Amino acid sequence: MTKFMDAALAEARKGMEEGGIPIGAVLVHKGKIIGRGHNRRVQKGSAILHGEMDALENAGRQPASVYRECVMYTTLSPCSMCSGTMLLYGIPKVVIGENRTFMGEEELLRARGVEVEVVNDERCVELMRRFIKEKPELWNEDIGE
């Protein structure tokens, strides 16, 4: 599990280096990363390219049977949009780096049968705290405030 969270964190750091929001994700199928991504709303001028959405996009079109065997690793608790997309495609498990800086739709995911695991990775917490302190207006835009 650690190697997949490490990969998601590497994506988050890449996003920050690009001037974007440091949230990263990887989509894992049967122990192999099939999609990786990071929040690229700023870089692409996108309304929807959150980390999880970018990882799904980069995984490409998959049959439903593949999604039902995947685990999404994300550095931050997933928002409504990303959670809804995971529900739509039937992804059964999400591993979350942290939920202290932002609490997403974990209860919705659990209520719909998704296994939710929060690992409280201090590296993820520190990265987000630093970003929120340095760019509060960009953070508020990303979460719709």
Side-chain angles (χ1 to χ4, degrees), residues 92-111:
K93 182 175 182 178
V94 60
V95 179
I96 299 167
E98 69 102 351
N99 63 6
R100 287 185 245 159
T101 60
F102 177 78
M103 175 58 78
E105 296 294 335
E106 295 174 28
E107 289 308 312
L108 171 64
L109 291 167
R110 286 185 183 103

mmCIF file of all heavy atoms in Angstrom, residues 92-111:
data_model
loop_
_atom_site.group_PDB
_atom_site.id
_atom_site.type_symbol
_atom_site.label_atom_id
_atom_site.label_comp_id
_atom_site.label_asym_id
_atom_site.label_seq_id
_atom_site.Cartn_x
_atom_site.Cartn_y
_atom_site.Cartn_z
ATOM 1 N N PRO A 92 -14.521 -0.055 -5.675
ATOM 2 C CA PRO A 92 -14.944 -0.544 -4.362
ATOM 3 C C PRO A 92 -14.146 -0.055 -3.161
ATOM 4 O O PRO A 92 -14.580 -0.232 -2.025
ATOM 5 C CB PRO A 92 -14.810 -2.060 -4.500
ATOM 6 C CG PRO A 92 -13.673 -2.231 -5.457
ATOM 7 C CD PRO A 92 -13.821 -1.084 -6.431
ATOM 8 N N LYS A 93 -12.976 0.541 -3.410
ATOM 9 C CA LYS A 93 -12.133 0.942 -2.271
ATOM 10 C C LYS A 93 -11.367 2.212 -2.602
ATOM 11 O O LYS A 93 -10.861 2.377 -3.708
ATOM 12 C CB LYS A 93 -11.151 -0.171 -1.913
ATOM 13 C CG LYS A 93 -10.278 0.159 -0.714
ATOM 14 C CD LYS A 93 -9.406 -1.022 -0.312
ATOM 15 C CE LYS A 93 -8.573 -0.661 0.919
ATOM 16 N NZ LYS A 93 -7.742 -1.812 1.351
ATOM 17 N N VAL A 94 -11.250 3.088 -1.600
ATOM 18 C CA VAL A 94 -10.434 4.286 -1.727
ATOM 19 C C VAL A 94 -9.553 4.389 -0.487
ATOM 20 O O VAL A 94 -10.023 4.199 0.640
ATOM 21 C CB VAL A 94 -11.285 5.566 -1.934
ATOM 22 C CG1 VAL A 94 -12.237 5.813 -0.799
ATOM 23 C CG2 VAL A 94 -10.395 6.787 -2.149
ATOM 24 N N VAL A 95 -8.275 4.630 -0.727
ATOM 25 C CA VAL A 95 -7.310 4.835 0.351
ATOM 26 C C VAL A 95 -6.934 6.306 0.317
ATOM 27 O O VAL A 95 -6.472 6.821 -0.712
ATOM 28 C CB VAL A 95 -6.068 3.934 0.191
ATOM 29 C CG1 VAL A 95 -5.064 4.197 1.314
ATOM 30 C CG2 VAL A 95 -6.472 2.469 0.169
ATOM 31 N N ILE A 96 -7.140 6.980 1.449
ATOM 32 C CA ILE A 96 -7.004 8.441 1.535
ATOM 33 C C ILE A 96 -5.777 8.802 2.371
ATOM 34 O O ILE A 96 -5.650 8.343 3.506
ATOM 35 C CB ILE A 96 -8.280 9.034 2.160
ATOM 36 C CG1 ILE A 96 -9.491 8.712 1.276
ATOM 37 C CG2 ILE A 96 -8.129 10.536 2.394
ATOM 38 C CD1 ILE A 96 -10.827 8.971 1.943
ATOM 39 N N GLY A 97 -4.942 9.657 1.810
ATOM 40 C CA GLY A 97 -3.746 10.090 2.529
ATOM 41 C C GLY A 97 -4.061 10.872 3.784
ATOM 42 O O GLY A 97 -3.447 10.657 4.833
ATOM 43 N N GLU A 98 -5.018 11.788 3.688
ATOM 44 C CA GLU A 98 -5.400 12.575 4.867
ATOM 45 C C GLU A 98 -6.746 13.244 4.657
ATOM 46 O O GLU A 98 -7.153 13.510 3.533
ATOM 47 C CB GLU A 98 -4.320 13.603 5.217
ATOM 48 C CG GLU A 98 -4.157 14.734 4.226
ATOM 49 C CD GLU A 98 -4.802 16.041 4.670
ATOM 50 O OE1 GLU A 98 -5.530 16.078 5.673
ATOM 51 O OE2 GLU A 98 -4.567 17.039 3.994
ATOM 52 N N ASN A 99 -7.404 13.527 5.795
ATOM 53 C CA ASN A 99 -8.688 14.227 5.755
ATOM 54 C C ASN A 99 -8.763 15.329 6.803
ATOM 55 O O ASN A 99 -9.845 15.780 7.147
ATOM 56 C CB ASN A 99 -9.853 13.242 5.912
ATOM 57 C CG ASN A 99 -9.843 12.521 7.252
ATOM 58 O OD1 ASN A 99 -9.031 12.807 8.137
ATOM 59 N ND2 ASN A 99 -10.739 11.565 7.399
ATOM 60 N N ARG A 100 -7.607 15.772 7.295
ATOM 61 C CA ARG A 100 -7.596 16.832 8.305
ATOM 62 C C ARG A 100 -7.730 18.220 7.687
ATOM 63 O O ARG A 100 -8.362 19.090 8.267
ATOM 64 C CB ARG A 100 -6.318 16.760 9.140
ATOM 65 C CG ARG A 100 -6.332 15.581 10.094
ATOM 66 C CD ARG A 100 -5.123 15.612 10.990
ATOM 67 N NE ARG A 100 -4.321 14.441 10.669
ATOM 68 C CZ ARG A 100 -3.037 14.310 10.932
ATOM 69 N NH1 ARG A 100 -2.369 15.273 11.518
ATOM 70 N NH2 ARG A 100 -2.402 13.220 10.610
ATOM 71 N N THR A 101 -7.150 18.430 6.522
ATOM 72 C CA THR A 101 -7.240 19.745 5.889
ATOM 73 C C THR A 101 -8.525 19.897 5.087
ATOM 74 O O THR A 101 -8.951 21.014 4.814
ATOM 75 C CB THR A 101 -6.027 20.013 4.973
ATOM 76 O OG1 THR A 101 -5.975 19.016 3.952
ATOM 77 C CG2 THR A 101 -4.729 20.023 5.765
ATOM 78 N N PHE A 102 -9.131 18.780 4.707
ATOM 79 C CA PHE A 102 -10.388 18.802 3.959
ATOM 80 C C PHE A 102 -11.094 17.471 4.158
ATOM 81 O O PHE A 102 -10.511 16.408 3.929
ATOM 82 C CB PHE A 102 -10.134 19.030 2.464
ATOM 83 C CG PHE A 102 -11.383 19.003 1.626
ATOM 84 C CD1 PHE A 102 -12.231 20.106 1.582
ATOM 85 C CD2 PHE A 102 -11.711 17.882 0.880
ATOM 86 C CE1 PHE A 102 -13.391 20.084 0.810
ATOM 87 C CE2 PHE A 102 -12.858 17.850 0.100
ATOM 88 C CZ PHE A 102 -13.698 18.962 0.070
ATOM 89 N N MET A 103 -12.348 17.532 4.561
ATOM 90 C CA MET A 103 -13.159 16.326 4.700
ATOM 91 C C MET A 103 -14.107 16.256 3.513
ATOM 92 O O MET A 103 -14.997 17.096 3.368
ATOM 93 C CB MET A 103 -13.953 16.349 6.003
ATOM 94 C CG MET A 103 -14.911 15.177 6.163
ATOM 95 S SD MET A 103 -14.157 13.544 6.088
ATOM 96 C CE MET A 103 -13.460 13.452 7.728
ATOM 97 N N GLY A 104 -13.874 15.289 2.671
ATOM 98 C CA GLY A 104 -14.720 15.109 1.503
ATOM 99 C C GLY A 104 -15.928 14.242 1.812
ATOM 100 O O GLY A 104 -16.440 14.239 2.929
ATOM 101 N N GLU A 105 -16.331 13.473 0.828
ATOM 102 C CA GLU A 105 -17.570 12.686 0.907
ATOM 103 C C GLU A 105 -17.337 11.247 1.368
ATOM 104 O O GLU A 105 -17.914 10.302 0.823
ATOM 105 C CB GLU A 105 -18.267 12.716 -0.448
ATOM 106 C CG GLU A 105 -18.717 14.086 -0.870
ATOM 107 C CD GLU A 105 -19.812 14.646 0.030
ATOM 108 O OE1 GLU A 105 -20.549 13.866 0.663
ATOM 109 O OE2 GLU A 105 -19.930 15.881 0.088
ATOM 110 N N GLU A 106 -16.546 11.109 2.409
ATOM 111 C CA GLU A 106 -16.248 9.766 2.914
ATOM 112 C C GLU A 106 -17.500 9.035 3.392
ATOM 113 O O GLU A 106 -17.655 7.840 3.144
ATOM 114 C CB GLU A 106 -15.217 9.845 4.041
ATOM 115 C CG GLU A 106 -13.873 10.344 3.559
ATOM 116 C CD GLU A 106 -12.890 10.571 4.693
ATOM 117 O OE1 GLU A 106 -12.996 9.901 5.737
ATOM 118 O OE2 GLU A 106 -12.002 11.433 4.524
ATOM 119 N N GLU A 107 -18.378 9.743 4.074
ATOM 120 C CA GLU A 107 -19.604 9.100 4.575
ATOM 121 C C GLU A 107 -20.506 8.648 3.426
ATOM 122 O O GLU A 107 -21.122 7.581 3.504
ATOM 123 C CB GLU A 107 -20.351 10.021 5.536
ATOM 124 C CG GLU A 107 -19.645 10.181 6.873
ATOM 125 C CD GLU A 107 -19.280 8.848 7.533
ATOM 126 O OE1 GLU A 107 -20.150 7.940 7.608
ATOM 127 O OE2 GLU A 107 -18.119 8.700 7.954
ATOM 128 N N LEU A 108 -20.590 9.433 2.371
ATOM 129 C CA LEU A 108 -21.359 9.026 1.195
ATOM 130 C C LEU A 108 -20.780 7.746 0.605
ATOM 131 O O LEU A 108 -21.508 6.813 0.281
ATOM 132 C CB LEU A 108 -21.363 10.139 0.140
ATOM 133 C CG LEU A 108 -21.945 9.773 -1.225
ATOM 134 C CD1 LEU A 108 -23.426 9.432 -1.110
ATOM 135 C CD2 LEU A 108 -21.707 10.898 -2.216
ATOM 136 N N LEU A 109 -19.466 7.711 0.467
ATOM 137 C CA LEU A 109 -18.817 6.522 -0.080
ATOM 138 C C LEU A 109 -19.111 5.298 0.780
ATOM 139 O O LEU A 109 -19.506 4.249 0.268
ATOM 140 C CB LEU A 109 -17.309 6.754 -0.210
ATOM 141 C CG LEU A 109 -16.882 7.761 -1.275
ATOM 142 C CD1 LEU A 109 -15.421 8.135 -1.107
ATOM 143 C CD2 LEU A 109 -17.138 7.217 -2.676
ATOM 144 N N ARG A 110 -18.934 5.461 2.085
ATOM 145 C CA ARG A 110 -19.210 4.334 2.996
ATOM 146 C C ARG A 110 -20.676 3.894 2.911
ATOM 147 O O ARG A 110 -20.973 2.698 2.877
ATOM 148 C CB ARG A 110 -18.874 4.728 4.432
ATOM 149 C CG ARG A 110 -17.399 4.778 4.719
ATOM 150 C CD ARG A 110 -17.138 5.057 6.211
ATOM 151 N NE ARG A 110 -15.724 5.176 6.460
ATOM 152 C CZ ARG A 110 -15.070 6.332 6.636
ATOM 153 N NH1 ARG A 110 -15.725 7.480 6.606
ATOM 154 N NH2 ARG A 110 -13.771 6.332 6.843
ATOM 155 N N ALA A 111 -21.576 4.873 2.867
ATOM 156 C CA ALA A 111 -23.014 4.562 2.807
ATOM 157 C C ALA A 111 -23.370 3.780 1.545
ATOM 158 O O ALA A 111 -24.332 3.025 1.536
ATOM 159 C CB ALA A 111 -23.837 5.852 2.873
#
